[in-house]
Amino acid sequence: MSMFCFQCQETARNEGCTARGVCGKPPEIAQLQDLMIWLLKGISFWGTHGRDLGVSDPQTDLFVAQALFATITNANFDPDRFVSLIREAVERRDALKARAQAVCEAQHGAPCSANPPEMAVWTPADYDVVTLLEKGQHVGVMADPNLHPDVRSLRELLIYGIKGLAAYTDHAYMLNYTSDTLLPFVQEVLLATTDDSLSVDDLVALVLRAGEMGVEAMRLLDEANTSTYGHPEPTQVNIGVRPGPAILVSGHDLRDLEELLEQTAGTDVNIYTHGEMLPANAYPAFKKYDHFVGNYGGSWWHQNQEFESFGGAILLTTNCIIPVKDSYKDRLFTTGMAGWPGCVHIPDREPGQQKDFSAVIATAKASAEPQALEEGTIPIGFARNTVMSVADKVIEAVQSGAIKRFVVMAGCDGRHKTRAYYTEVAEGLPKDHVILTAGCAKYRYNKLDLGDIGGIPRILDAGQCNDSYSLAYVALQLKAALGLDDINDLPIAYDIAWYEQKAVIVLLALLALGVKHIRLGPTLPAFLSPGVTDVLVKHFDLMPIGTVEEDLAAIVGGA
Ligand code: SF4
Ligand code: SF3
C-alpha cells in the first residue's frame, strides 16, 4: 500500500484510497501530509507542555491550524509547499521545545523531565523529498496495524473534525478575530490522538468537546465576517456574464476577495464568484462594487469545464481544487493554504499590507472574456440576520401551519451520481416545507424554482459551509421563540450532505448542540468503524440516507 487516506466521502470503494486519491492526490502528497500531521502532533506536545508552564507561541499555534487546513480535501497538491511546511514545523517545534525546556528547568531547578514521543523530537537528515517520504510512509493512519479499530476511527474523526475547525478559525484570524481557546484545543486534540492511555469513552467525550469548540469556531467566524463586511442581505445574484476581461474567484476566503475587488476597482476588469464564493454577493461591503458582476457556474467539481469556458484569470483562495487542466493552468492562481504544482501562488500579505494580486489582474487583461453558461438570477443572503429580521412572520407561518417543516440540507456537493438524491428530495418536498441550506450542497437545487410561502422563499440559503453557524443560530432562536425545551422538538429535519472535513466539524457541532435524527449522505464516513457508528446511532440516532421515496415519507411524517 503506497498511501492510505479515507478522510472524504469520495474515498475509493468507501474504504480508502490506497494507490492514488479519487481527488487526484498522489501517494507522494499523501505521505508528505501524513508526515506533516505527525510533526504537528510533535509541536502539540511541546505546545501543551509549554502552556502548562506559561510558555506560549501564538504564531506557532496559528501555524499548526494553517498546516492542518492545507491537508483538507482538495486544498493543496503542491509537494514543494508541503516540504516547506514540514521544515517550518520542525523549526517551530524545536524552538518551542527549547523554550519550554528552559522554563521548565528554571521553574523546577532540574532538567525538564517531560518524556517526548518520537514526533516531538524526530528530525530528518535533510529536506529532500525522498528522505521525507521514507518517514512519511510509516506514520500515517495505518502506521500501527494493531490499533483497535474504534480507537483508530475516533482518532481520525477527531483529526478530521479539527481540520475543519482549524479552517474556520484561520478564516476568522485572517480578519483579526482571535480566540484564546480554539488553537490550544487543536493541539490538545492532536496530542490526544497519540495517547494510548485514552479509552474509547475518553475519545468519545473529546469528540463531543470538539463539537462544542466547533460551535465556537463557527460563531467567531460569523462574528468576523458580519462585523467586517456587514450582514448578508437578500440578493438576486446575476448568473450571466458581462463583456470585458474577468477574474473568477473561488474558495471561501472573503478577505482575498475584498482585496481583489479593491485592486480592480476603476479598471476594466470584472470580478465573478465561483462555487463557495457565491454568498459573497450578499455582503453590503462587496455589493457596492460595480465591477462585481455575479456568480459563474456551479459547485467545485464542474471546474474543468467552467474554468475553460470562463476564459479569464482564476483565483483559488481555498479548497476545492480539482486536477488542473493544461487548457487553463496558466490562468489559475492559488493563494493562502491552497496550492497546485506549477500554478503561480500569490504570497501571504506583509504586515499592514494587502496581498499583491497584480499578476492575476495582468493575466485577466491578457485573456479571453467569459462565455455565458446561463442567464438570470438566484436568490441568496438568508443568513441569520435576514431570517431573524422576519422572525415574526416565520413564527406566525409555523404556528399557522403555513410552514409545516424546515429541512436543513446543508453541506457539500460532490461528483457521485447518487447525489441526485438531494435534487430529488428538494423537488419532492411538499410546498409547505422550507429548505435551509449552506455550503456547496445547495448547487444540487438552488436553481430550481420552488416558489415561496407568503414571501418566504422555499430555499433559504445562509451562505458558505463557513456560515453553518447561521442555521444553528436560527434553530436555537426558534426554539426559544416557540418555548420549546428540546431542540429536537422543533419542526426541523436534517438531511446533510458531506464531502470534506469542514462538514465533519459541522456535524460534530450539531451533535454537540443536541441535534438528533440527522440523515447523513450520500454514504456514512468510511472512517467510522462499526463500533463508533453504533455509538453515534445509539446516542444521536444518526442515520444514513435511504431512497428518495423513503426519506421524503419519513421527513414529511416527522421522522
Ligand atoms: Fe481519497 Fe478523499 Fe483522501 Fe482524496 S481526500 S485521497 S479522495 S479519501
Ligand atoms: Fe464545498 Fe469543497 Fe464542502 Fe464549503 S467547496 S462545502 S466541498
Side-chain angles (χ1 to χ4, degrees):
M1 191 186 295
S2 58
M3 64 178 276
F4 186 87
C5 181
F6 60 175
Q7 68 173 354
C8 85
Q9 191 276 324
E10 292 189 0
T11 194
R13 304 170 304 282
N14 207 31
E15 291 173 1
C17 296
T18 54
R20 188 180 183 88
V22 172
C23 60
K25 182 159 77 176
E28 177 190 36
I29 298 294
Q31 290 170 5
L32 290 173
Q33 290 183 352
D34 287 346
L35 179 62
M36 194 183 68
I37 290 172
W38 186 72
L39 289 166
L40 298 179
K41 295 175 184 177
I43 293 180
S44 301
F45 175 85
W46 294 110
T48 305
H49 183 47
R51 247 181 295 280
D52 291 342
L53 297 161
V55 173
S56 70
D57 183 347
Q59 295 299 323
T60 294
D61 294 344
L62 184 59
F63 169 80
V64 171
Q66 291 180 330
L68 278 174
F69 191 175
T71 70
I72 70 175
T73 301
N74 292 344
N76 200 314
F77 296 80
D78 184 358
D80 292 345
R81 187 71 186 281
F82 283 106
V83 170
S84 92
L85 286 169
I86 286 169
R87 183 193 289 269
E88 188 172 347
V90 172
E91 289 169 359
R92 287 187 174 278
R93 181 200 68 189
D94 290 350
L96 195 54
K97 172 182 163 211
R99 282 181 60 206
Q101 286 181 326
V103 171
C104 189
E105 183 161 351
Q107 285 184 8
H108 301 120
C112 175
S113 60
N115 188 17
E118 188 193 0
M119 65 284 273
V121 292
W122 179 85
T123 302
D126 56 54
Y127 288 92
D128 195 285
V129 174
V130 177
T131 309
L132 301 178
L133 293 180
E134 175 57 34
K135 188 66 179 173
Q137 60 188 290
H138 300 296
V139 298
V141 176
M142 293 297 177
D144 176 1
N146 299 318
L147 195 61
H148 190 285
D150 294 345
V151 172
R152 188 191 326 276
S153 175
L154 287 163
R155 286 181 179 180
E156 296 307 315
L157 172 59
L158 282 165
I159 287 176
Y160 306 148
I162 57 155
K163 284 188 185 191
L165 185 153
Y168 290 144
T169 306
D170 182 50
H171 280 296
Y173 270 65
M174 290 302 104
L175 296 174
N176 300 316
Y177 281 75
T178 60
S179 156
D180 292 336
T181 54
L182 292 169
L183 297 180
F185 181 72
V186 167
Q187 294 181 20
E188 181 187 337
V189 169
L190 283 170
L191 190 58
T193 65
T194 70
D195 185 347
D196 292 331
S197 74
L198 295 181
S199 66
V200 164
D201 286 348
D202 295 334
L203 292 169
V204 169
L206 193 52
V207 166
L208 285 180
R209 270 190 62 219
E212 289 165 13
M213 298 303 271
V215 176
E216 173 54 17
M218 290 193 285
R219 188 207 60 73
L220 182 70
L221 178 55
D222 180 285
E223 182 188 357
N225 286 340
T226 55
S227 303
T228 311
Y229 301 121
H231 284 282
E233 301 166 344
T235 303
Q236 288 289 340
V237 182
N238 170 37
I239 55 174
V241 300
R242 188 190 283 178
I247 300 171
L248 188 59
V249 188
S250 195
H252 303 72
D253 195 295
L254 298 182
R255 187 160 175 199
D256 289 336
L257 175 70
E258 176 192 21
E259 294 180 355
L260 186 61
L261 283 166
E262 276 187 32
Q263 290 174 33
T264 47
T267 72
D268 60 348
V269 177
N270 293 318
I271 304 295
Y272 297 73
T273 56
H274 185 264
E276 274 285 69
M277 201 55 88
L278 160 67
N281 290 279
Y283 283 93
F286 305 141
K287 288 171 72 168
K288 68 180 187 202
Y289 291 101
D290 292 337
H291 66 300
F292 192 26
V293 175
N295 192 70
Y296 186 86
S299 68
W300 60 272
W301 60 276
H302 301 279
Q303 65 190 245
N304 278 162
Q305 293 80 29
E306 292 173 355
F307 288 2
E308 253 175 31
S309 62
F310 184 73
I314 301 148
L315 177 66
L316 260 302
T317 63
T318 69
N319 60 308
C320 277
I321 305 175
I322 68 172
V324 175
K325 289 176 77 174
D326 287 344
S327 55
Y328 57 83
K329 188 172 181 183
D330 60 350
R331 296 188 272 121
L332 189 141
F333 297 79
T334 60
T335 193
M337 300 321 293
W340 185 269
C343 288
V344 175
H345 186 82
I346 304 299
D348 289 345
R349 42 187 79 74
E350 298 293 331
Q353 292 183 15
Q354 294 193 348
K355 287 185 183 177
D356 178 1
F357 289 114
S358 53
V360 187
I361 297 166
T363 297
K365 289 182 171 172
S367 302
E369 297 183 9
Q371 298 168 33
L373 293 174
E374 50 199 347
E375 286 182 350
T377 61
I378 45 175
I380 64 165
F382 293 90
R384 63 183 171 89
N385 197 57
T386 303
V387 177
M388 295 324 294
S389 69
V390 291
D392 290 353
K393 210 168 154 186
V394 171
I395 289 163
E396 198 184 299
V398 171
Q399 286 173 332
S400 72
I403 294 179
K404 185 168 177 217
R405 196 173 313 284
F406 295 94
V407 186
V408 174
M409 293 181 69
C412 307
D413 195 14
R415 304 173 175 91
H416 281 181
K417 288 195 169 50
T418 49
R419 287 184 189 253
Y421 162 96
Y422 294 101
T423 312
E424 290 166 24
V425 168
E427 287 171 328
L429 285 169
K431 296 205 178 319
D432 54 6
H433 282 53
V434 172
I435 295 170
L436 300 176
T437 193
C440 64
K442 67 167 80 65
Y443 281 101
R444 289 282 168 177
Y445 42 79
N446 69 343
K447 293 171 187 170
L448 301 176
D449 183 9
L450 298 187
D452 63 89
I453 299 174
I456 301 167
R458 286 193 54 229
I459 301 177
L460 296 176
D461 178 3
Q464 300 179 337
C465 59
N466 292 24
D467 302 311
S468 300
Y469 175 75
S470 256
L471 303 180
Y473 181 89
V474 168
L476 291 172
Q477 295 297 314
L478 272 180
K479 176 184 153 219
L482 294 169
L484 301 173
D485 294 330
D486 185 343
I487 198 167
N488 296 294
D489 292 338
L490 283 167
I492 303 181
Y494 293 82
D495 198 0
I496 306 282
W498 83 284
Y499 171 58
E500 39 76 29
Q501 297 75 51
K502 287 195 272 180
V504 176
I505 195 64
V506 173
L507 175 68
L508 297 185
L510 288 174
L511 299 184
L513 289 170
V515 175
K516 295 187 174 167
H517 322 298
I518 296 174
R519 284 186 174 74
L520 186 63
T523 54
L524 292 186
F527 56 78
L528 293 182
S529 66
V532 172
T533 303
D534 282 351
V535 171
L536 295 176
V537 170
K538 189 166 147 211
H539 292 292
F540 299 102
D541 199 14
L542 187 76
M543 304 176 261
I545 61 169
T547 65
V548 173
E549 295 72 27
E550 284 165 0
D551 288 359
L552 277 172
I555 289 168
V556 173

